[in-house]
Amino acid sequence: MGKSAFCLAALAVLAAVVAEELYSDMFDHINPDDILPNDELRNQYYNCIMDTGPCVTDDQKYMKEHAAEAFATKCRKCTEVQKQNLEKVIGWYTENRPDEWTALMQKLMEDAKKMNISPV
């Protein structure tokens, strides 16, 4: 293999690694500002992720499926909307429910460890 062919092959592999797939944006329209002030709805999402209640909606199930990885990798695969929404959620919980936030962080880190996802 010539030098240029090798370089092209190496660049193709690098591009494949760099172009990591993002999480689906199908639930990006859900606004945490509509959920966080609503105790019943917020607790439903929280309990779903914490395994203390059922995951009722498809978006809750999707969030639970990806929450540990997203948290451990600092949202590396998140869309820009997901990153912004996560910042809102973190801000709200750290300000209003710090004990719940601490418990959630611990749960997500434990789940990530079980899935062999290294924190960033």
Side-chain angles (χ1 to χ4, degrees), residues 46 49-50 67-72 74 86 89-91 93-94 97-113 119:
Y46 183 83
I49 292 174
M50 293 296 289
E69 178 186 40
F71 183 76
K74 297 187 178 170
L86 183 59
V89 170
I90 291 169
Y93 270 97
T94 55
R97 302 281 173 105
D99 292 342
E100 287 181 9
W101 178 246
T102 299
L104 181 60
M105 284 191 318
Q106 290 171 344
K107 168 91 167 75
L108 293 177
M109 292 310 292
E110 289 170 10
D111 289 351
K113 187 175 182 179

Side-chain angles (χ1 to χ4, degrees), residues 2 7 15 24 30 35 60 66 78 96 100 108 115:
C7 287
S24 171
I30 295 174
I35 297 168
Q60 290 172 2
H66 299 289
C78 293
N96 297 288
E100 287 181 9
L108 293 177
M115 297 165 44

Side-chain angles (χ1 to χ4, degrees), residues 14 21 32 35 42 47 60 66 79 84-85 89 92 107:
L14 181 61
E21 192 172 321
I35 297 168
R42 183 189 63 251
N47 292 335
Q60 290 172 2
H66 299 289
T79 65
Q84 292 168 2
N85 287 345
V89 170
W92 189 91
K107 168 91 167 75

Side-chain angles (χ1 to χ4, degrees), residues 22-119:
L22 297 178
Y23 298 125
S24 171
D25 64 355
M26 70 177 163
F27 297 114
D28 282 8
H29 66 281
I30 295 174
N31 187 345
D33 293 331
D34 297 333
I35 297 168
L36 293 169
N38 181 322
D39 290 345
E40 184 177 342
L41 195 53
R42 183 189 63 251
N43 289 336
Q44 193 178 78
Y45 278 83
Y46 183 83
N47 292 335
C48 166
I49 292 174
M50 293 296 289
D51 292 326
T52 57
C55 297
V56 179
T57 63
D58 288 339
D59 64 306
Q60 290 172 2
K61 293 172 189 171
Y62 188 83
M63 287 169 48
K64 178 174 177 43
E65 180 182 341
H66 299 289
E69 178 186 40
F71 183 76
T73 63
K74 297 187 178 170
C75 230
R76 182 176 61 221
K77 294 182 184 178
C78 293
T79 65
E80 286 304 312
V81 169
Q82 292 162 357
K83 289 176 184 177
Q84 292 168 2
N85 287 345
L86 183 59
E87 284 184 34
K88 287 180 183 181
V89 170
I90 291 169
W92 189 91
Y93 270 97
T94 55
E95 185 176 319
N96 297 288
R97 302 281 173 105
D99 292 342
E100 287 181 9
W101 178 246
T102 299
L104 181 60
M105 284 191 318
Q106 290 171 344
K107 168 91 167 75
L108 293 177
M109 292 310 292
E110 289 170 10
D111 289 351
K113 187 175 182 179
K114 290 176 191 172
M115 297 165 44
N116 291 323
I117 300 170
S118 300

